[in-house]
Amino acid sequence: MNKLSGKHVLLGVTGGIAAYKSAELVRQLRRQGAEVRVVMTAAATEFVTPLTFQALSGHPVHTQLLDTGAEAAMGHIELARWADVLLIAPATADFMARLVAGRANDLLTAVSLACDATLAIAPAMNRVMWDKQATRENMMALKQRGVQVLGPAEGLQACGDSGPGRMLEPVELLAALSALLDTGTLAGRRVLVTAGPTREAIDPVRYISNRSSGRMGYAVAAAAVEAGADVLLISGPVSLETPPRARRIDVESAAEMHAAVMSEIALTDIFISVAAVADYRPASVASQKLKKTAATLSLELKRNPDILAEVAALTDAPFTVGFAAETQAMESNARDKLRAKNIDMIAANVVGQQLGFDCEDNALRVIWGQGEQQLPLAGKGKLARQLVAIIAERFALTIRGETQNPQGKVFNIHAKDSA
Ligand code: C5P
């Protein structure tokens, strides 16, 4: 399948003469099956009209940061979240400088700052501007932050000069984007992710739950899709949009999550259990709303099934990854869980102090039988991509039979792989 097919490409157009080439780029992206949305700076609209990009992309073009109508339809945060990749083409010297400074004084800079997806820029400017130390330093700073700098090419420029500074041709940008989007580390693999909290009913209107927002699990599902996997997300109640191209099953209680996971696990290669499953549920659910009478009320609670441990114990178990949210002794508790649940990998984090549950950022210590890796504080999107990269690497070693888990069990994925 075409690597760009179904991908969400957010194209930022800044004010350079090469903007006319970006119109052709939109056409080519759509021909490859990509969905394209366009954000233009005010200067860009002096070179090409938004109508041109609207006609070619099939969607209204976004130009204003503070336009209540536009923000209500798809604001800068939604645009940033929608994107699988943000490509700025052409990127002027001024735009690069504003990107380096972390400005958010127009829609495109604000989207760039709010976006967790891969960011690529295709610089286009006069050769002297490109050669200036300020631009060089900006370019280096962006590269160091992980921005993909595509080009520029050398040749005759619109201003009559000849040298480096021409924007890459649409066909070259298309190839570069395909390469960027094709991480492919989990191509063809089936990944099942659980996310969010569970709700354990007390009576028809009350339940026991926890503070999970589901954001980490959804970010992991999105990162697995990005890595080429076929992703099923089994989700507790959250107010998040399903990541593009993931299949989602909604559940409420731990028992429902357990049933959904068990009925879908057979063809799963990798099980990533991010859900904050309630450990206990009320022993009985009152059929009518409980009335307040006595000064105290006791609830009898019963243990819920441990979904992750049960999956790991299956004869044909997938590669299993758990999460450990701890308020203390994170490392030792996580290692204990890795052993007790007999899973292949655990991602541990400290909760509380604005970390972990119900917030945007997180930090993880990823531990497996033979090693560990610390993923420092970052947005959940970035962390999820780093985690999925580690999972893909360990999984690949496993199916090549190069590793065993701490218990010495050779992962039974071999059988599945050769089937
Ligand atoms: O034992 P603890 O709840 O701390 O373990 C956390 C890990 O186990 C998470 O990956 C969570 O999704 C999973 N879990 C589960 N079923 C439960 C409880 C936890 O799958 N009943």
Side-chain angles (χ1 to χ4, degrees):
M1 194 178 74
N2 183 331
K3 290 159 200 163
L4 284 161
S5 175
K7 289 278 166 22
H8 289 183
V9 179
L10 186 56
L11 177 67
V13 184
T14 71
I17 181 63
Y20 80 91
K21 290 191 197 174
S22 302
E24 172 60 18
L25 176 63
V26 174
R27 252 164 51 88
Q28 295 197 16
L29 281 166
R30 291 204 60 202
R31 221 180 283 147
Q32 299 289 316
E35 265 209 66
V36 185
R37 304 263 178 165
V38 180
V39 175
M40 298 177 81
T41 61
T45 64
E46 302 286 335
F47 288 90
V48 182
T49 69
L51 197 59
T52 303
F53 283 104
Q54 175 171 325
L56 293 171
S57 69
H59 293 284
V61 169
H62 304 264
T63 53
Q64 302 289 324
L65 178 58
L66 301 174
D67 171 340
T68 44
E71 279 280 300
M74 205 185 207
H76 64 287
I77 301 294
E78 282 79 23
L79 279 168
R81 286 193 184 135
W82 175 87
D84 290 323
V85 62
L86 169 56
L87 170 66
I88 318 276
T92 59
D94 177 66
F95 189 81
M96 287 171 62
R98 290 196 290 137
L99 211 52
V100 170
R103 299 296 302 268
N105 58 339
D106 65 5
L107 180 62
L108 190 53
T109 45
V111 167
S112 306
L113 203 58
C115 194
D116 234 356
T118 304
L119 171 58
I121 61 168
M125 66 198 73
N126 164 273
R127 69 171 178 84
V128 183
M129 292 170 84
W130 175 252
D131 270 338
K132 274 279 151 65
Q133 194 176 346
T135 311
R136 300 248 132 206
E137 284 176 9
N138 286 340
M139 189 261 291
M140 290 313 295
L142 291 172
K143 276 191 171 171
Q144 269 166 15
R145 292 180 201 170
V147 176
Q148 302 289 325
V149 181
L150 312 177
E154 291 207 21
L156 193 63
Q157 302 197 298
C159 52
D161 275 3
S162 185
R166 279 168 61 106
M167 188 173 89
L168 291 186
E169 294 302 322
V171 61
E172 294 169 304
L173 288 175
L174 208 63
L177 270 192
S178 293
L180 275 182
L181 284 168
D182 181 32
T183 58
T185 47
L186 291 178
R189 295 296 174 190
R190 290 197 188 84
V191 174
L192 200 167
V193 181
T194 63
T198 65
R199 285 180 183 169
E200 311 301 320
I202 298 170
D203 66 20
V205 293
R206 302 184 182 94
Y207 55 78
I208 300 174
S209 191
N210 58 60
R211 289 177 49 179
S212 165
S213 66
R215 281 199 284 258
M216 191 69 221
Y218 275 57
V220 167
V225 169
E226 236 177 79
D230 179 1
V231 177
L232 171 62
L233 179 60
I234 297 185
S235 173
V238 296
S239 48
L240 294 172
E241 277 188 33
T242 310
R245 296 181 298 286
R247 188 160 69 89
R248 169 169 158 185
I249 297 177
D250 285 327
V251 296
E252 220 170 274
S253 63
E256 283 172 19
M257 186 171 276
H258 176 252
V261 168
M262 290 308 165
S263 74
E264 295 281 346
I265 202 71
L267 294 170
T268 300
D269 295 302
I270 301 173
F271 177 57
I272 312 176
S273 183
V274 197
V277 186
D279 291 319
Y280 292 91
R281 66 180 183 281
S284 61
V285 183
S287 59
Q288 301 299 328
K289 187 178 170 191
L290 295 178
K291 293 290 168 205
K292 48 179 178 295
T293 45
T296 59
L297 172 71
S298 298
L299 279 177
E300 195 192 340
L301 301 178
K302 249 174 127 169
R303 273 292 285 271
N304 274 327
D306 189 316
I307 305 170
L308 177 57
E310 228 176 274
V311 168
L314 291 171
T315 341
D316 207 5
F319 186 89
T320 45
V321 183
F323 268 67
E326 303 294 339
T327 54
Q328 57 176 350
M330 179 189 84
E331 172 112 25
S332 60
N333 280 332
R335 286 190 183 281
D336 288 348
K337 269 174 210 175
L338 185 75
R339 271 187 297 272
K341 297 187 194 233
N342 194 19
I343 57 178
D344 301 311
M345 184 182 283
I346 195 150
N349 67 306
V350 175
V351 288
Q353 304 141 20
Q354 269 90 57
L355 281 176
F357 280 173
D358 212 10
C359 60
E360 292 291 346
D361 290 343
N362 208 353
L364 292 175
R365 175 155 358 235
V366 187
I367 305 170
W368 59 95
Q370 292 78 18
E372 62 174 68
Q373 195 171 327
Q374 177 69 32
L375 302 180
L377 189 66
K380 287 181 176 173
K382 183 173 175 185
L383 265 187
R385 270 185 233 115
Q386 292 173 326
L387 175 65
V388 164
I390 300 174
I391 293 173
E393 198 183 310
R394 303 308 308 169
F395 174 77
L397 288 173
T398 304
I399 57 174
R400 275 192 254 128
E402 291 173 20
T403 188
Q404 294 192 327
N405 77 357
Q407 285 72 32
K409 165 188 91 176
V410 177
F411 299 111
N412 32 33
I413 224 115
H414 299 261
K416 193 177 297 171
D417 214 49
S418 55

